[in-house]
Amino acid sequence: MLQKGAEVVSVVNSEQLEYLWNGDPKHWKRHAPLLFPIVGRLQDDQYQYDGTIYKMYQHGFARDSNFEIESQSDTQAVFLLRPNATIKKHYPFNFRLYVTYQLLQDTLAVSMLVKNDDQHSMYFSIGAHPAFRVPLEPEHEQFSDYQVEVLPHREYSLIQLNQEGLTTSSESVCGVNTKKIGIMHCLFKDDAKI
């Protein structure tokens, strides 16, 4: 794991099979960035709060910020991000963002905790953007052999994106109680699924 962005760059199993995207800058230089304090993009990359206009670029600043290592052991690492002068230029709130990675047998558990250190409401969204290597074994598998399972199983609404990558008020229903979504290249033709 890197201290920059608290981003995991590799997840391998006991047979040394890599699960994460390699970060090839020709296509996409990241592996599993954290999205905070926004997920997505703002119109004109800015917002207004308490009479002041702030610049905020796509997916926020956490993925490019230096995190402190709060604690670490053989099976767990906890990273902490607090505001500094640079962050305050983009986000006027006092906060602590904790990101915990924990190995639980053959699973990497990831949790995020945001603490508001102000006396007033703090506005944010948070997300993860892991890129998985698919197919894992290209000599035996194809991209279309994979599925995503979303829990709990229920109907979900998809938020639509416009040409500029901004969310719209349009929604469509996805899944219709299906348990698994087949992965196809055309699924991502119009950008990510939210």
Side-chain angles (χ1 to χ4, degrees), residues 10-187:
S10 178
V11 176
V12 296
N13 68 11
S14 58
E15 286 83 39
Q16 299 306 304
L17 181 63
E18 177 64 63
Y19 284 83
L20 283 185
W21 165 250
N22 65 10
D24 181 352
K26 180 180 171 188
H27 301 286
W28 192 56
K29 68 179 181 178
R30 301 186 190 269
H31 306 272
L34 302 173
L35 315 180
F36 176 85
I38 63 168
V39 176
R41 170 171 278 139
L42 299 172
Q43 188 168 352
D44 299 323
D45 292 323
Q46 64 184 22
Y47 67 99
Q48 183 174 334
Y49 174 75
D50 200 22
T52 302
I53 293 177
Y54 296 91
K55 280 291 214 186
M56 178 75 66
Y57 299 103
Q58 184 177 22
H59 300 318
F61 50 75
R63 64 188 181 166
D64 295 315
S65 296
N66 288 322
F67 281 69
E68 302 169 39
I69 298 174
E70 180 76 359
S71 66
Q72 63 183 1
S73 70
D74 290 343
T75 58
Q76 180 174 293
V78 180
F79 294 87
L80 170 61
L81 179 64
R82 295 182 238 228
N84 57 31
T86 301
I87 288 173
K88 285 287 200 171
K89 290 178 186 175
H90 302 281
Y91 191 66
F93 303 99
N94 292 309
F95 68 91
R96 285 174 285 156
L97 168 58
Y98 293 92
V99 181
T100 302
Y101 297 99
Q102 185 175 18
L103 287 174
L104 302 168
Q105 296 177 349
D106 63 350
T107 300
L108 177 62
V110 182
S111 64
M112 294 173 266
L113 173 67
V114 179
K115 292 204 171 196
N116 179 359
D117 290 332
D118 278 324
Q119 298 300 313
H120 50 80
S121 296
M122 182 177 100
Y123 302 95
F124 73 94
S125 57
I126 191 165
H129 195 324
F132 298 102
R133 210 178 110 239
V134 176
L136 289 172
E137 299 183 43
E139 58 279 357
H140 307 297
E141 300 171 330
Q142 297 179 21
F143 188 77
S144 59
D145 291 335
Y146 287 79
Q147 301 172 331
V148 171
E149 184 173 8
V150 180
L151 297 173
H153 295 188
R154 65 174 179 83
E155 221 171 67
Y156 289 90
S157 294
L158 282 176
I159 298 169
Q160 302 298 310
L161 298 174
N162 66 18
Q163 300 268 347
E164 292 81 39
L166 299 171
T167 59
T168 69
S169 58
S170 301
E171 291 184 357
S172 66
V173 174
C174 175
V176 192
N177 291 320
T178 57
K179 295 182 179 177
K180 297 186 179 173
I181 301 168
I183 300 297
M184 300 167 284
H185 290 286
C186 65
L187 184 65

